[in-house]
Amino acid sequence: MIKTLFHYWRSSSSWRVRWALELKRLKPTMVHVNLLEGESESPSHLKRNPMGAVPVLETDGGKYLIESVAILEFLDETIPSRKLFPGDAYQKSHIRSLVEIINSGIQPLQNLSTLDYLSEKDEERVKWSRHFITKGLFAYEKLCNNTAGKFSVGDEVTAADLFLIPQLYNALRFNLDLKTFGVLEKINQNALATPEGMASHPDRYKPV
Ligand SMILES: N[C@@H](CCC(=O)N[C@@H](CS)C(=O)NCC(=O)O)C(=O)O
């Protein structure tokens, strides 16, 4: 059903999908698209995704699925075991809210192409990114305070964690201290210790 994942090792959006594939026990061919060398803007990749971004998931039927939220929803519909958006309508909506805080409230603002457009100066790029990451993570923490167990919503990894953990990894790249977000730091430790969290981690995909 699933043929190929086009991804970049350090891309947080790619990590979300790699993690989902691990939870669904799917093993597509992994194709590395080097963002730093402009490979996502190549004509062949733009045919897969006109936004020039990763991840892209190719199905057996040759369809290209883009946008990590859409990909996770597709996986949940086609492989209902090990739901990424589990629970009743209220809980599903809560998980989506957490997902969107990161997917639309943080990640696009600190994405490579946004920062390239913003400034060439490292200190401006870092200041901007730290602002939006901090604001979003504080909101995330407030929202998940009442639902967090070992993970963002109870004691099972959900889509929310698949967005949170890669974003925390990016926060560290911008030298933010995760202790500022106590609940999230604990969730981070728990999620990174899961087999699927480890198997999908950027370090496992770093080109040699
Ligand atoms: N909302 C998209 C975001 C995809 C995205 O922004 N990917 C980044 C890497 S995390 C990318 O490919 N950036 C290329 C660029 O900025 O030029 C998703 O969830 O898949």
PDB file of all heavy atoms in Angstrom, residues 11-13 16 35 40-41 52-55 67-69 103 107 111-113, ligand 1:
ATOM      1  N   SER A  11      14.536  16.974   9.305  1.00  0.00           N
ATOM      2  CA  SER A  11      13.247  17.674   9.152  1.00  0.00           C
ATOM      3  C   SER A  11      12.255  17.157  10.194  1.00  0.00           C
ATOM      4  O   SER A  11      12.001  15.956  10.297  1.00  0.00           O
ATOM      5  CB  SER A  11      12.722  17.445   7.726  1.00  0.00           C
ATOM      6  OG  SER A  11      11.335  17.185   7.730  1.00  0.00           O
ATOM      7  N   SER A  12      11.695  18.100  10.968  1.00  0.00           N
ATOM      8  CA  SER A  12      10.767  17.685  12.029  1.00  0.00           C
ATOM      9  C   SER A  12       9.490  17.087  11.425  1.00  0.00           C
ATOM     10  O   SER A  12       8.924  16.132  11.961  1.00  0.00           O
ATOM     11  CB  SER A  12      10.446  18.855  12.956  1.00  0.00           C
ATOM     12  OG  SER A  12       9.849  19.916  12.243  1.00  0.00           O
ATOM     13  N   SER A  13       9.057  17.628  10.280  1.00  0.00           N
ATOM     14  CA  SER A  13       7.836  17.097   9.658  1.00  0.00           C
ATOM     15  C   SER A  13       8.078  15.675   9.148  1.00  0.00           C
ATOM     16  O   SER A  13       7.179  14.827   9.187  1.00  0.00           O
ATOM     17  CB  SER A  13       7.383  17.990   8.501  1.00  0.00           C
ATOM     18  OG  SER A  13       7.271  19.325   8.935  1.00  0.00           O
ATOM     19  N   ARG A  16       7.869  13.210  12.072  1.00  0.00           N
ATOM     20  CA  ARG A  16       6.475  12.867  12.445  1.00  0.00           C
ATOM     21  C   ARG A  16       6.005  11.638  11.669  1.00  0.00           C
ATOM     22  O   ARG A  16       5.412  10.715  12.229  1.00  0.00           O
ATOM     23  CB  ARG A  16       5.530  14.023  12.082  1.00  0.00           C
ATOM     24  CG  ARG A  16       5.840  15.353  12.713  1.00  0.00           C
ATOM     25  CD  ARG A  16       5.087  16.464  11.973  1.00  0.00           C
ATOM     26  NE  ARG A  16       5.439  17.785  12.459  1.00  0.00           N
ATOM     27  CZ  ARG A  16       5.097  18.917  11.851  1.00  0.00           C
ATOM     28  NH1 ARG A  16       4.395  18.894  10.731  1.00  0.00           N
ATOM     29  NH2 ARG A  16       5.455  20.073  12.358  1.00  0.00           N
ATOM     30  N   LEU A  35      17.674  18.909   1.889  1.00  0.00           N
ATOM     31  CA  LEU A  35      17.123  20.275   1.847  1.00  0.00           C
ATOM     32  C   LEU A  35      18.235  21.302   1.707  1.00  0.00           C
ATOM     33  O   LEU A  35      18.063  22.322   1.030  1.00  0.00           O
ATOM     34  CB  LEU A  35      16.326  20.571   3.122  1.00  0.00           C
ATOM     35  CG  LEU A  35      15.066  19.744   3.386  1.00  0.00           C
ATOM     36  CD1 LEU A  35      14.340  20.295   4.605  1.00  0.00           C
ATOM     37  CD2 LEU A  35      14.146  19.725   2.187  1.00  0.00           C
ATOM     38  N   SER A  40      14.930  19.603  -2.638  1.00  0.00           N
ATOM     39  CA  SER A  40      13.455  19.654  -2.573  1.00  0.00           C
ATOM     40  C   SER A  40      12.882  20.620  -3.605  1.00  0.00           C
ATOM     41  O   SER A  40      11.686  20.633  -3.854  1.00  0.00           O
ATOM     42  CB  SER A  40      13.007  20.068  -1.163  1.00  0.00           C
ATOM     43  OG  SER A  40      13.528  21.336  -0.858  1.00  0.00           O
ATOM     44  N   GLU A  41      13.750  21.438  -4.204  1.00  0.00           N
ATOM     45  CA  GLU A  41      13.287  22.379  -5.241  1.00  0.00           C
ATOM     46  C   GLU A  41      13.598  21.841  -6.644  1.00  0.00           C
ATOM     47  O   GLU A  41      13.410  22.555  -7.637  1.00  0.00           O
ATOM     48  CB  GLU A  41      13.966  23.748  -5.053  1.00  0.00           C
ATOM     49  CG  GLU A  41      13.600  24.458  -3.750  1.00  0.00           C
ATOM     50  CD  GLU A  41      12.121  24.878  -3.689  1.00  0.00           C
ATOM     51  OE1 GLU A  41      11.495  25.062  -4.747  1.00  0.00           O
ATOM     52  OE2 GLU A  41      11.604  24.987  -2.549  1.00  0.00           O
ATOM     53  N   GLY A  52       7.651  22.120  -2.595  1.00  0.00           N
ATOM     54  CA  GLY A  52       9.094  21.922  -2.454  1.00  0.00           C
ATOM     55  C   GLY A  52       9.483  21.560  -1.035  1.00  0.00           C
ATOM     56  O   GLY A  52      10.488  22.051  -0.511  1.00  0.00           O
ATOM     57  N   ALA A  53       8.678  20.710  -0.412  1.00  0.00           N
ATOM     58  CA  ALA A  53       8.941  20.343   0.988  1.00  0.00           C
ATOM     59  C   ALA A  53       8.862  18.832   1.165  1.00  0.00           C
ATOM     60  O   ALA A  53       8.316  18.105   0.323  1.00  0.00           O
ATOM     61  CB  ALA A  53       7.925  21.041   1.901  1.00  0.00           C
ATOM     62  N   VAL A  54       9.424  18.370   2.255  1.00  0.00           N
ATOM     63  CA  VAL A  54       9.261  16.988   2.699  1.00  0.00           C
ATOM     64  C   VAL A  54       8.488  17.030   4.016  1.00  0.00           C
ATOM     65  O   VAL A  54       8.513  18.058   4.690  1.00  0.00           O
ATOM     66  CB  VAL A  54      10.631  16.294   2.900  1.00  0.00           C
ATOM     67  CG1 VAL A  54      11.274  15.988   1.577  1.00  0.00           C
ATOM     68  CG2 VAL A  54      11.564  17.116   3.791  1.00  0.00           C
ATOM     69  N   PRO A  55       7.802  15.949   4.355  1.00  0.00           N
ATOM     70  CA  PRO A  55       7.767  14.621   3.761  1.00  0.00           C
ATOM     71  C   PRO A  55       6.776  14.510   2.601  1.00  0.00           C
ATOM     72  O   PRO A  55       5.814  15.268   2.520  1.00  0.00           O
ATOM     73  CB  PRO A  55       7.288  13.753   4.927  1.00  0.00           C
ATOM     74  CG  PRO A  55       6.353  14.653   5.687  1.00  0.00           C
ATOM     75  CD  PRO A  55       6.980  16.018   5.598  1.00  0.00           C
ATOM     76  N   GLU A  67       1.937  16.838   3.188  1.00  0.00           N
ATOM     77  CA  GLU A  67       1.459  17.428   4.454  1.00  0.00           C
ATOM     78  C   GLU A  67       1.306  16.333   5.515  1.00  0.00           C
ATOM     79  O   GLU A  67       0.473  15.436   5.399  1.00  0.00           O
ATOM     80  CB  GLU A  67       0.139  18.192   4.276  1.00  0.00           C
ATOM     81  CG  GLU A  67       0.267  19.455   3.436  1.00  0.00           C
ATOM     82  CD  GLU A  67       1.073  20.557   4.141  1.00  0.00           C
ATOM     83  OE1 GLU A  67       1.114  20.591   5.380  1.00  0.00           O
ATOM     84  OE2 GLU A  67       1.665  21.373   3.443  1.00  0.00           O
ATOM     85  N   SER A  68       2.101  16.456   6.560  1.00  0.00           N
ATOM     86  CA  SER A  68       2.163  15.375   7.555  1.00  0.00           C
ATOM     87  C   SER A  68       0.816  15.106   8.239  1.00  0.00           C
ATOM     88  O   SER A  68       0.509  13.952   8.537  1.00  0.00           O
ATOM     89  CB  SER A  68       3.246  15.676   8.597  1.00  0.00           C
ATOM     90  OG  SER A  68       2.997  16.887   9.251  1.00  0.00           O
ATOM     91  N   VAL A  69       0.010  16.137   8.472  1.00  0.00           N
ATOM     92  CA  VAL A  69      -1.292  15.884   9.113  1.00  0.00           C
ATOM     93  C   VAL A  69      -2.150  15.006   8.200  1.00  0.00           C
ATOM     94  O   VAL A  69      -2.751  14.011   8.629  1.00  0.00           O
ATOM     95  CB  VAL A  69      -2.049  17.201   9.419  1.00  0.00           C
ATOM     96  CG1 VAL A  69      -3.431  16.902   9.986  1.00  0.00           C
ATOM     97  CG2 VAL A  69      -1.266  18.061  10.404  1.00  0.00           C
ATOM     98  N   ASN A 103       1.941  22.418  14.136  1.00  0.00           N
ATOM     99  CA  ASN A 103       1.937  22.361  12.673  1.00  0.00           C
ATOM    100  C   ASN A 103       1.718  23.719  12.017  1.00  0.00           C
ATOM    101  O   ASN A 103       2.319  24.012  10.991  1.00  0.00           O
ATOM    102  CB  ASN A 103       0.853  21.392  12.199  1.00  0.00           C
ATOM    103  CG  ASN A 103       0.907  21.173  10.719  1.00  0.00           C
ATOM    104  OD1 ASN A 103       1.965  20.832  10.183  1.00  0.00           O
ATOM    105  ND2 ASN A 103      -0.201  21.382  10.038  1.00  0.00           N
ATOM    106  N   GLN A 107       6.006  25.463  13.612  1.00  0.00           N
ATOM    107  CA  GLN A 107       6.962  24.952  12.608  1.00  0.00           C
ATOM    108  C   GLN A 107       7.103  25.821  11.362  1.00  0.00           C
ATOM    109  O   GLN A 107       8.236  26.101  10.935  1.00  0.00           O
ATOM    110  CB  GLN A 107       6.600  23.496  12.241  1.00  0.00           C
ATOM    111  CG  GLN A 107       7.620  22.804  11.353  1.00  0.00           C
ATOM    112  CD  GLN A 107       7.332  23.003   9.866  1.00  0.00           C
ATOM    113  OE1 GLN A 107       6.198  23.297   9.487  1.00  0.00           O
ATOM    114  NE2 GLN A 107       8.355  22.862   9.037  1.00  0.00           N
ATOM    115  N   ASN A 111      10.712  27.431   9.860  1.00  0.00           N
ATOM    116  CA  ASN A 111      11.135  26.573   8.758  1.00  0.00           C
ATOM    117  C   ASN A 111      12.282  27.253   7.990  1.00  0.00           C
ATOM    118  O   ASN A 111      12.383  28.482   7.936  1.00  0.00           O
ATOM    119  CB  ASN A 111       9.934  26.330   7.839  1.00  0.00           C
ATOM    120  CG  ASN A 111      10.240  25.310   6.770  1.00  0.00           C
ATOM    121  OD1 ASN A 111      11.024  24.381   6.980  1.00  0.00           O
ATOM    122  ND2 ASN A 111       9.644  25.488   5.607  1.00  0.00           N
ATOM    123  N   LEU A 112      13.106  26.425   7.373  1.00  0.00           N
ATOM    124  CA  LEU A 112      14.290  26.914   6.667  1.00  0.00           C
ATOM    125  C   LEU A 112      13.961  28.023   5.654  1.00  0.00           C
ATOM    126  O   LEU A 112      14.597  29.085   5.653  1.00  0.00           O
ATOM    127  CB  LEU A 112      14.955  25.717   5.958  1.00  0.00           C
ATOM    128  CG  LEU A 112      16.281  25.958   5.273  1.00  0.00           C
ATOM    129  CD1 LEU A 112      17.337  26.415   6.282  1.00  0.00           C
ATOM    130  CD2 LEU A 112      16.745  24.674   4.565  1.00  0.00           C
ATOM    131  N   SER A 113      12.943  27.798   4.822  1.00  0.00           N
ATOM    132  CA  SER A 113      12.660  28.789   3.770  1.00  0.00           C
ATOM    133  C   SER A 113      12.145  30.103   4.379  1.00  0.00           C
ATOM    134  O   SER A 113      12.405  31.183   3.851  1.00  0.00           O
ATOM    135  CB  SER A 113      11.664  28.239   2.742  1.00  0.00           C
ATOM    136  OG  SER A 113      10.490  27.842   3.373  1.00  0.00           O
TER     137      SER A 113
HETATM  138  N1  LIG B   1       3.124  21.477   6.891  1.00  0.00           N
HETATM  139  C1  LIG B   1       4.054  20.597   6.203  1.00  0.00           C
HETATM  140  C2  LIG B   1       5.399  21.127   6.395  1.00  0.00           C
HETATM  141  C3  LIG B   1       6.471  20.524   5.530  1.00  0.00           C
HETATM  142  C4  LIG B   1       7.731  21.294   5.763  1.00  0.00           C
HETATM  143  O1  LIG B   1       7.700  22.483   6.111  1.00  0.00           O
HETATM  144  N2  LIG B   1       8.847  20.636   5.606  1.00  0.00           N
HETATM  145  C5  LIG B   1      10.094  21.299   5.779  1.00  0.00           C
HETATM  146  C6  LIG B   1      11.040  20.467   6.602  1.00  0.00           C
HETATM  147  S1  LIG B   1      10.433  20.225   8.233  1.00  0.00           S
HETATM  148  C7  LIG B   1      10.728  21.512   4.434  1.00  0.00           C
HETATM  149  O2  LIG B   1      10.687  20.650   3.577  1.00  0.00           O
HETATM  150  N3  LIG B   1      11.297  22.706   4.219  1.00  0.00           N
HETATM  151  C8  LIG B   1      11.917  23.008   2.963  1.00  0.00           C
HETATM  152  C9  LIG B   1      12.172  24.459   2.884  1.00  0.00           C
HETATM  153  O3  LIG B   1      11.899  25.170   3.815  1.00  0.00           O
HETATM  154  O4  LIG B   1      12.649  24.851   1.828  1.00  0.00           O
HETATM  155  C10 LIG B   1       3.937  19.173   6.767  1.00  0.00           C
HETATM  156  O5  LIG B   1       3.393  19.038   7.848  1.00  0.00           O
HETATM  157  O6  LIG B   1       4.360  18.235   6.098  1.00  0.00           O
END
